[in-house]
Amino acid sequence: MIILGIESSCDETACGIMADDQKILAHVVDSQIDIHRAYGGVVPEIASRRHIETIFPVVNTALDQSGLTLDDIDVMSVTAGPGLIGCLLIGLNFVKAISLVRGIPFVGVDHMAGHLLSVFLSDTKPQFPFVAIVASGGHSSIFYAKSYTDFELLGRTRDDAAGEAFDKVAKLLGLPYPGGPEISKESLNGDPGSIKFPRSWLDKGSFDFSFSGLKTSVANTIHKIDQMTAGKRADICASFQEAVVDVLSAKAVQAAKFKDCQQVVLAGGVAANPRLRDLLGKRCRSAGLDLAMPPLEYCTDNGAMICVAGYHQFNQKGESPLDLDVYSRSPMIYRAID
Ligand code: KG4
Ligand code: ZN
């Protein structure tokens, strides 16, 4: 089966093309980061307009890359949510229109499922069941993945997502958007033990997260500094990053032990953070657990991960109806806690 996957939930217009056994034939991402950087974050209306402009060229480039045409595509997969509604509508309606005109079935998939399953694009593929931590700009959640389509929520953020915390702290320090890569670069020159920022562990045994107190603590530290220097900024970045990755990695390992599970998966945009990959790797090794992570290019938003999620959803549940709507809150998280 050849599947074409489209992602447009936020500020990336992306298309992947995959042949059944997770063989990626095309992987094209048009990032809007340079456009939104001037505003310090994603401007939803600008993002939607940019998706309209880029979705045709992105899909055409992906088809060229794969050497295929629409005639070769068996199924299309598209992010139905969560994300920015205007942005999601561009991707979903694009796919619906092609489906109607060309008679190609489609599936609407959850963006979180895409991130979680992006690990299958790596050479070391995990076996079900596994514990997965998905940390991105919109979510930080821990799941117990039982199959390609069955994910039990173990914990989620009660306020800011991990990536959101990186972006907000970067803004406080005058660093450009998106903050995650900037903070990880700055951290290389800083001392992670120089400032003891608070870790929010929440109730005993809870796999939930909270990063807003940490963000406030960083803001207070910055306000007390008379003269910001490159050295002080690097120390703040390294200490803040350490506080985030400490909690994320500790809870992932605790969740694996709680579920008596041998394997841990790290995914989502924040999984591109080298210190998080390193610390979680060390903690998994000392706990005797195996860690699997997607390659860096599949950590942040992309169409290939939407192909993986769509492939399995189509095989197990069939195509989506033409009246499928987009959504801003993931049922993978909110159905479990509402
Ligand atoms: O998964 P993603 O591309 O989009 C969402 O679904 O949100 O994740 C984007 C988030 C941003 O908040 C960005 O700052 C963060 O991932 N991120 C990082 C790194 N690279 C991207 N956070 C920490 N360290 C990084 N190296
Ligand atoms: Zn994402």
Side-chain angles (χ1 to χ4, degrees), residues 9-251:
S9 66
C10 191
D11 58 345
E12 265 94 27
T13 321
C15 179
I17 301 179
M18 187 181 88
D20 14 44
D21 52 353
Q22 278 117 38
K23 185 171 184 301
I24 297 301
L25 307 177
H27 165 51
V28 179
V29 180
D30 179 87
S31 173
Q32 305 178 5
I33 282 174
D34 291 342
I35 298 170
H36 297 288
R37 189 169 283 136
Y39 305 94
V42 178
V43 183
E45 181 62 23
I46 295 175
S48 314
R49 286 167 190 245
R50 177 74 187 166
H51 284 303
I52 295 175
E53 288 165 9
T54 52
I55 196 154
F56 271 99
V58 163
V59 173
N60 279 331
T61 307
L63 286 167
D64 287 349
Q65 216 176 70
S66 64
L68 303 174
T69 70
L70 275 183
D71 292 336
D72 301 304
I73 304 300
D74 299 305
V75 180
M76 289 178 293
S77 174
V78 59
T79 305
L84 299 169
I85 292 299
C87 296
L88 292 161
L89 282 170
I90 312 297
L92 180 61
N93 285 322
F94 179 87
V95 163
K96 281 183 181 178
I98 295 178
S99 177
L100 266 177
V101 174
R102 305 295 290 252
I104 307 172
F106 77 95
V107 274
V109 304
D110 195 283
H111 185 78
M112 302 293 288
H115 274 305
L116 193 157
L117 297 173
S118 65
V119 69
F120 289 97
L121 297 171
S122 127
D123 291 338
T124 40
K125 302 182 198 312
Q127 302 281 318
F128 292 105
F130 56 78
V131 160
I133 178 155
V134 183
S136 69
H139 297 275
S140 298
S141 307
I142 301 188
F143 297 98
Y144 180 57
K146 299 176 202 169
S147 76
Y148 287 107
T149 53
D150 188 0
F151 317 113
E152 176 190 334
L153 181 75
L154 298 178
R156 95 287 183 207
T157 183
R158 295 188 186 170
D159 39 58
D160 291 347
E164 189 180 359
F166 271 94
D167 295 340
K168 287 179 176 171
V169 164
K171 205 169 186 175
L172 290 170
L173 287 165
L175 295 168
Y177 173 84
E182 297 293 329
I183 288 186
S184 43
K185 251 186 276 155
E186 288 277 333
S187 299
L188 295 174
N189 303 316
D191 173 4
S194 56
I195 307 163
K196 204 77 195 122
F197 284 127
R199 272 80 164 148
S200 191
W201 298 106
L202 303 173
D203 329 316
K204 196 169 172 0
S206 169
F207 299 118
D208 281 355
F209 300 103
S210 167
F211 294 110
S212 68
L214 169 61
K215 180 191 63 194
T216 307
S217 180
V218 175
N220 291 338
T221 302
I222 294 169
H223 289 143
K224 282 188 207 137
I225 294 174
D226 294 333
Q227 188 73 46
M228 181 62 81
T229 60
K232 285 179 192 163
R233 193 169 58 198
D235 281 346
I236 292 172
C237 285
S239 304
F240 159 77
Q241 174 177 270
E242 200 61 19
V244 175
V245 304
D246 185 13
V247 176
L248 289 175
S249 54
K251 293 214 175 205

